[in-house]
Amino acid sequence: MQQIVDRDDAFAVLHDPGFVVPPVRPGSAGVAWLRATVGRFSTGSAYARRRALSVAILDAIPPDSLRGDGTGHPVATLARAMGVDAPVVGLVQDVAQAYQPDTGDDARADAAVDRLVAVLGGGYDEWTAARIGVLVQACDATAVLVERARHRPVADVLRDQPPVPATRRQAVVRTTIGHLTIEAGEVVRVILAGDLAFGAGPRRCPGRAHALAFVDANRADGRCG
């Protein structure tokens, strides 16, 4: 798999509609259903609609409200802010380990997704998927960022050790990025670091302010600089 390392090339790919998120398999339950129903793995009008649901969930949680409590897992704090009183951290971690296709134990994630649907009191619909997706997206990446930035400037961490080091995009047509020729259908790995650590373009992470609020709450010196 070719890698897009140069910052300007990565920026171009993330803004180019000729690159899309690789498609995922459909599913009616478990983690396959979640992947097929969240914005993270969607394209076109489905992505716009599903992203809007995630943004609405995050917009209802002021980032400043996350700065006061430096204890506990970010998922637990977000879940409480979403009105979820049940303990869900373990379930979300079980989903997160297999959220990306072909990366973990799908059977473990399947059971956790189905349990989360029940805990959230929803059905197998886009709104429930969005709520689970927000928690999953905030799980490992936010926890890792918080830990790495506990004693270091967050800007240095995002430059040198971003919690999500790369993302993947699939070329719709044959194209050239920098010195690389990318064939139609080819999947490339786009390096995320520095000002691209939260992505860029129409798919940039909508939870950036919330993640940085968690960092601020957990810094040893109380600053997020």
Side-chain angles (χ1 to χ4, degrees), residues 113-129:
V113 168
D114 295 342
R115 179 60 184 149
L116 281 168
V117 170
V119 167
L120 294 176
Y124 289 87
D125 52 47
E126 291 185 350
W127 175 245
T128 303

Side-chain angles (χ1 to χ4, degrees), residues 98-116:
Y99 191 49
Q100 292 287 336
D102 304 316
T103 60
D105 182 346
D106 276 12
R108 179 176 148 203
D110 287 344
V113 168
D114 295 342
R115 179 60 184 149
L116 281 168

